[in-house]
Amino acid sequence: MTATDQTQSPLDTGPRLGGLRRFMHHHPSLVTMPALLAISLAVTVAIHPEYDSFDAQSLAMGAMPLALAAAAQAVVLISGGIDLSVGSMIAVCNVLAAATMEHATFGESLLLAAAICVAGALLGAVNGLIVVFSRVPDVVVTLTTGFIWGGVALLILERPGGGAPEEFLQLGAGFLVTPWISGSLVLVAAAVAIIWIPVQRSRLGLLLYAVGSDKAAAFRSGVNVELTRFLAYVLGGLLSAVGGIGLVMTTGIGSPLAGVYYTLSGLAAAVLGGVSLTGGRGGIVGPVLAAYVLTLIPADLIFLNIDPNFGQVIQGSLIVLVVMGGGLVGLLQGRKR
Amino acid sequence: MSAAADPAPAKGSAWQASAGRALNLLRRHTTAALLVLLVCFVGGIEMIVPGTVTPTWISNIVLFAAPLGILAAGQTLVMLSGGIDLSVASVATASAYLMATHSSLGSVACVLWGLSVGLAVGLINGVGVAVLQVQPLVMTLGTGLMTQGTLIVYSQKMLANAPRVPSFIQSLGSGKVLGGIPIDLILWAPIALVVLIGLRRTGLGRLFYAVGDNREACQLSGVRVWQVLLTDYVLCGLLAAVAGLVIVGGTNAADMSLADVYLLPSVAAVIIGGTSIFGGRGGYAGSIVGALILTVLNSLLTLLDAPEPIRQILYGAIILILAAAYTRLTD
């Protein structure tokens, strides 16, 4: 939410318009997504004037797993792949956390959380290895591994249960300084800052974009395409693991079936956030912000006393409309030429 | 193409040479290879649990394979043109539910209600993919979510109209005639024939391959690509709706997650059957065998009496191994 101010402030400074145009050209989602989020927040406040820190906190908590699922999907999409097992990896890490932390102390829980992050990265590594070595299309591989991880999650915890120490839950459910900055918001920002930003700034970040935009060209320039694709899946697994742990913090338990929703919605948020399915374009901030927009919609519907089940209809329609709108723009531009 | 990729070295031992020849034979007759695999699976079941493979068992396998086979037909058509349809499971569920809630209107009307879902979602998918050139994966994912959400809202608004599966749908999904011929085979066989012959002998069928192989070339040679793709997705939607009716006839209960379990198998059957996800290569014959293999596999896992999580893991792992083996063989 803080990104809104940063990107919107140049809007009213005239001389910097050229720079803004260039910025918009290179990072369209960094302008449109904060704007869309600001609009949906404004709409929320308009229809629900008594919007307070409690609502903001529940939004942050509700959106956290989705934001991380979107981030995980975005990394893989940027590298030119796709990961339809994100939700199941979240579920595995979620039940792992809930099953192992139930009787642990706070310190142990933190260590366990680190171990689960490693486990998530391993799940991602398995995805990556199969995609790279089997040469089976990534959609098929991850659709199937998603099914397998679902079985693994059921194996760890047959039905919703488990738990974690109260202090650990407070990391996500509590707040920092003011109730407006909830722990889950900080967690998402930290995950993006600690995991993605160093990657994006490093050689690997460049390679991810290179491989995503043109595998053959990247290969001929001496890029290890297979290693790069593999690492993208590992990063996806790692971010999913953070999502799974975050889900424990916000719900207090582990649920083996909780993940299903996050695969589709995470992909939706990634696409909405400006990541290209053909790879090589987009970032992570856009998808993360899109996750908050997608979470706001059902909340707004509750404020409006509309059946919140419409939320899914609207989420689906939003994706369809956004991608169709994108296609229409392309069609019109093509005709002009 | 396969002859050029002959891996057997000329100077290799006789065993290597014959192995190479066998591999080449498999490459050229992939559907036959799949049939061999199917027979091996059935033989394996008979070895593990002797006395399982009876005419009744075979007729049950066909009975369970039919809805998957019909779903895979639509998926095959879409994949041949270079797409994928991830909304088939939601469409099948919605079709079954809408049919069940309109069962009081009579048999023809309620079936038409069910099929209307397939037509509507297929049209939306088609317009998105064909006209607006949206990636099929995102498009069908979005429409799948939309369909599912709409169905949930609809189910809550229509509490008075409790879903009821009419008896003729029940016999379609679970009945047998003439001493063991599943009724759904009587529906599946003509569909399969039309798809098989249509893909090989009709202009539209060949256009599916052509568009999947090279969309630009088709466009440049005067093919109205958007019409081909639109037809493709509408057909897939309709076939998914039909499959939904068969599935609900088998379970006799229209619930919200009825056909969810069919999404992965519908894609897997086509992939195992040798249709390329990038389009232009493959056919429905392989998908039929793929659907049968997956159904036999499911039956094997049931026979082994493994707990659900283990079953799920094994099922997925075997699909992956089959798909990987197939990709290695044909690439």
Side-chain angles (χ1 to χ4, degrees), chain A residues 85-240:
Chain A
S85 71
V86 165
S88 309
M89 292 196 290
I90 290 182
V92 170
C93 297
N94 177 26
V95 290
L96 255 182
T100 53
M101 289 176 185
E102 195 171 3
H103 305 294
T105 63
F106 179 60
E108 285 166 355
S109 295
L110 286 180
L111 282 178
L112 281 169
I116 289 163
C117 284
V118 175
L122 279 176
L123 292 178
V126 173
N127 280 342
L129 280 178
I130 300 177
V131 166
V132 169
F133 284 113
S134 74
R135 286 188 265 161
V136 177
D138 41 19
V139 178
V140 182
V141 170
T142 53
L143 196 63
T144 319
T145 53
F147 194 70
I148 299 177
W149 303 149
V152 172
L154 279 173
L155 207 60
I156 298 170
L157 211 62
E158 207 176 332
R159 55 184 65 83
E166 188 53 36
E167 302 103 298
F168 187 73
L169 297 183
Q170 279 305 315
L171 286 180
F175 56 82
L176 211 75
V177 192
T178 82
W180 287 95
I181 307 174
S182 70
S184 30
L185 208 59
V186 176
L187 194 77
V188 171
V192 171
I194 295 172
I195 299 173
W196 175 243
I197 290 178
V199 169
Q200 196 194 17
R201 292 283 161 90
S202 72
R203 218 176 110 78
L204 177 60
L206 194 63
L207 296 188
L208 286 175
Y209 282 93
V211 169
S213 50
D214 193 335
K215 283 191 190 64
F219 178 75
R220 286 185 191 134
S221 326
V223 174
N224 190 336
V225 173
E226 291 175 348
L227 180 67
T228 311
R229 296 189 70 193
F230 167 76
L231 287 176
Y233 282 98
V234 174
L235 283 173
L238 181 58
L239 284 163
S240 305

Side-chain angles (χ1 to χ4, degrees), chain A residues 82 84 130 132-137 139-152 154-155 158 263-265 267-268 271 277-278 307 309-310 312-320 323-328 331, chain B residues 79 84 86 124 127-128 131-135 137-139 141-143 145-146 148-153 156-157 261 263-264 267-268 271 277-278 307-313 315-317 319-320 323-325 327-328 331:
Chain A
I82 191 167
L84 295 181
I130 300 177
V132 169
F133 284 113
S134 74
R135 286 188 265 161
V136 177
V139 178
V140 182
V141 170
T142 53
L143 196 63
T144 319
T145 53
F147 194 70
I148 299 177
W149 303 149
V152 172
L154 279 173
L155 207 60
E158 207 176 332
T263 304
L264 300 186
S265 303
L267 184 56
V271 172
L277 263 185
T278 46
D307 187 343
N309 283 314
F310 270 115
Q312 206 182 359
V313 185
I314 293 178
Q315 279 184 11
S317 320
L318 199 64
I319 306 162
V320 170
V323 288
M324 277 179 140
L328 193 63
L331 212 63
Chain B
M79 281 198 189
I84 190 170
L86 293 182
I124 301 177
V127 168
V131 183
L132 300 173
Q133 301 187 6
V134 179
Q135 290 258 352
L137 189 92
V138 199
M139 190 66 209
L141 201 66
T143 50
L145 271 181
M146 231 164 75
Q148 225 170 32
T150 315
L151 184 64
I152 293 173
V153 174
Q156 284 168 350
K157 297 276 178 276
V261 288
L263 179 61
L264 173 65
V267 177
I271 297 292
I277 202 169
F278 304 113
E308 180 56 31
I310 303 281
R311 257 183 79 156
Q312 211 169 324
I313 294 170
Y315 191 72
I319 287 179
L320 266 184
T327 317
R328 288 267 151 182
D331 261 8

Side-chain angles (χ1 to χ4, degrees), chain A residues 237-270:
Chain A
L238 181 58
L239 284 163
S240 305
V242 181
I245 297 167
L247 198 56
V248 176
M249 292 178 186
T250 54
T251 58
I253 56 163
S255 163
L257 299 177
V260 189
Y261 165 78
Y262 295 109
T263 304
L264 300 186
S265 303
L267 184 56

Side-chain angles (χ1 to χ4, degrees), chain B residues 86-170:
Chain B
L86 293 182
S87 68
V88 284
S90 313
V91 169
T93 307
S95 152
Y97 196 85
L98 226 64
M99 184 279 302
T101 46
H102 288 90
S103 53
S104 55
L105 296 179
S107 51
V108 177
C110 70
V111 167
L112 284 180
W113 268 104
L115 295 185
S116 71
V117 180
L119 184 67
V121 179
L123 265 177
I124 301 177
N125 284 338
V127 168
V129 173
V131 183
L132 300 173
Q133 301 187 6
V134 179
Q135 290 258 352
L137 189 92
V138 199
M139 190 66 209
T140 54
L141 201 66
T143 50
L145 271 181
M146 231 164 75
T147 313
Q148 225 170 32
T150 315
L151 184 64
I152 293 173
V153 174
Y154 171 80
S155 71
Q156 284 168 350
K157 297 276 178 276
M158 297 297 267
L159 280 180
N161 243 0
R164 192 182 58 81
V165 182
S167 56
F168 75 98
I169 293 284
Q170 279 178 44

